Amino acid sequence: MNQDTAHITAGFIPLLDAAPLIVAREKGFAVREGIELDLVRETSWASIRDRVVIGHFDAAHMLAPMAIAGTLALPPMPIPFIAPIALGTGRNGITVSNSLWEMHAEEGLTGPTDAAAAARSLAAVKKLHVPNRPLVFAAVHTYSAHAYLLRYWLAEAGLYEGTDVRFEFVPPPFMSDALASGAIDGCCVGEPWNTAAVADGHGHVLTTGDSIWAGGPDKVLGMRADWATDNPDRVKRLVRALYAASIWADEPAHTDELAAILAEPAYLDTTTDRLKPGLSGEMSGTRSGFAGYAASIPHHAHAAWFAAQMARWGEVDLSSDMIDAASSTYKPDIYAEAIAPIADDSLALEPSAQCRLFDGRDFDSSDVEGYLSSF
């Protein structure tokens, strides 16, 4: 390493959407940008957040709403974060226990289905088969796309937290075991943990995150705002390395090699057959992107949507300042400046963001109050 080499330590959770960080290290994209990238695997999102806050990690594979929550000074660690690149789209699923799946089968559902049909089936199951207790669903963290997609989808079924549903929060690698133990009836989690639950015989995929929000955002590269301010060149070099890695990971010809890299003990520590359904699109029904279709852009509209969900479910008070603060967590300006030297098409810098979920509502970030009043 030469004198200009920057050492960066980043944390990650064993999920498919950690791929840009892992590929950046393993395929030399980080070294090409003069970065010695040290990756540290963690089990829980709380540990990821805490270790970024206290300085163990310079940056991390992070839940997008977690970064926004820090900026909005929500507990337990109200530290401003920024997100200069998104780490792809989709690859979440809603998986239910074998017993709950059997109840769905009694109501005529025979396989994974679209979000609306799955919601109708769940409403019938709750009314006819589980009337006297709340269903228990798990998400990976309070401030996660999973929690907000799950609440959104459950509300379509007329099921609400506190009366019809109880929420638990479980680290992604433990979801299959939680289903097997009977601790939860279902969960929303990223790949490969839906595929793992099915392969282990512990559950069935009921519907997918892509069916709830096609190409919906999820993870970002998160870092403390003050660290980014003090290290602007490192931030841009890291974003550029992750963008190049995302382009490589999106190439179908690289799927087998990508699965082999991710399966290594230091990373996801599993078999390639459990990774390929999420990488190929077999699990979700669509090949989600790491960079393609503008998947790596940190859209302000996506940040505002997450903030709107926080307001809908009583976690924050709605205000224009709150929306502006949430949006400021995402840094498309840093992203655009960082990737400009290597981006070779207009798609990479496309500013628009699709914010329509399965119920057909359009989200207008300039009228969040009107959007929320539509529910």
Side-chain angles (χ1 to χ4, degrees):
M1 296 291 177
N2 60 43
Q3 190 175 9
D4 295 325
T5 296
H7 183 271
I8 293 177
T9 301
F12 73 96
I13 296 289
L15 290 157
L16 289 188
D17 48 27
L21 280 161
I22 294 167
V23 170
R25 174 181 167 82
E26 293 296 327
K27 295 299 292 183
F29 296 109
V31 169
R32 189 179 303 171
E33 295 297 333
I35 295 172
E36 182 182 9
L37 183 58
D38 182 22
L39 298 181
V40 180
R41 186 175 66 186
E42 279 288 348
T43 300
S44 78
W45 290 111
S47 293
I48 286 281
R49 175 203 59 217
D50 294 352
R51 296 190 72 180
V52 174
V53 168
I54 65 178
H56 288 181
F57 299 151
D58 301 311
H61 172 220
M62 185 175 285
L63 297 162
M66 178 180 281
I68 293 165
T71 300
L72 294 179
L74 297 177
M77 295 253 185
I79 301 295
F81 290 101
I82 71 158
I85 185 170
L87 298 180
T89 59
R91 298 191 176 88
N92 291 320
I94 293 179
T95 296
V96 296
S97 67
N98 291 330
S99 59
L100 195 62
W101 180 259
E102 290 169 4
M103 296 175 197
H104 280 278
E106 290 183 33
E107 299 309 312
L109 192 149
T110 59
T113 187
D114 66 88
R120 290 193 297 271
S121 182
L122 185 65
V125 163
K126 178 69 177 77
K127 179 179 179 180
L128 298 174
H129 299 276
V130 199
N132 298 320
R133 70 166 178 88
L135 293 169
V136 183
F137 273 85
V140 302
H141 192 273
T142 304
Y143 303 127
S144 66
H146 314 75
Y148 298 124
L149 288 177
L150 195 54
R151 286 188 174 99
Y152 199 106
W153 174 73
L154 288 167
E156 181 69 11
L159 303 176
Y160 295 92
E161 186 178 5
T163 53
D164 311 297
V165 180
R166 188 176 88 242
F167 267 40
E168 299 290 347
F169 298 100
V170 177
F174 301 159
M175 287 295 192
S176 181
D177 291 339
L179 287 165
S181 71
I184 61 175
D185 296 304
C187 61
C188 185
V189 67
E191 278 293 277
W193 302 110
N194 301 283
T195 296
V198 174
D200 291 338
H202 298 162
H204 296 263
V205 176
L206 182 61
T207 192
T208 66
D210 273 309
S211 183
I212 299 172
W213 183 354
D218 190 349
K219 314 296 192 317
V220 295
L221 178 73
M223 59 188 68
R224 285 176 57 139
D226 58 351
W227 186 88
T229 298
D230 292 342
N231 297 277
D233 183 61
R234 289 189 181 197
V235 173
K236 290 173 189 172
R237 283 195 274 169
L238 181 56
V239 168
R240 193 154 48 242
L242 295 185
Y243 176 74
S246 298
I247 294 291
W248 184 92
D250 268 344
E251 178 55 54
H254 296 154
T255 298
D256 287 348
E257 184 181 358
L258 175 58
I261 292 170
L262 296 178
E264 288 292 321
Y267 298 127
L268 273 62
D269 191 20
T270 188
T271 57
T272 59
D273 62 306
R274 295 192 174 199
L275 302 180
K276 288 182 180 179
L279 292 174
S280 67
E282 178 186 340
M283 196 282 288
S284 65
T286 181
R287 186 181 176 90
S288 302
F290 290 108
Y293 303 99
S296 59
I297 299 177
H299 290 290
H300 281 153
H302 290 168
W305 186 87
F306 285 127
Q309 303 316 301
M310 293 175 181
R312 181 182 180 188
W313 303 113
E315 295 170 342
V316 295
D317 293 327
L318 179 66
S319 70
S320 58
D321 288 345
M322 179 270 290
I323 297 297
D324 289 345
S327 298
S328 74
T329 304
Y330 278 28
K331 298 296 184 185
D333 53 334
I334 294 176
Y335 171 89
E337 186 177 349
I339 73 167
I342 61 172
D344 58 4
D345 57 54
S346 59
L347 182 62
L349 298 172
E350 172 59 49
S352 64
Q354 179 79 17
C355 292
R356 171 177 283 192
L357 278 77
F358 72 105
D359 61 358
R361 282 187 178 85
D362 286 314
F363 174 70
D364 180 357
S365 60
S366 68
D367 184 21
V368 175
E369 189 169 355
Y371 168 78
L372 291 174
S373 68
S374 70
F375 291 102

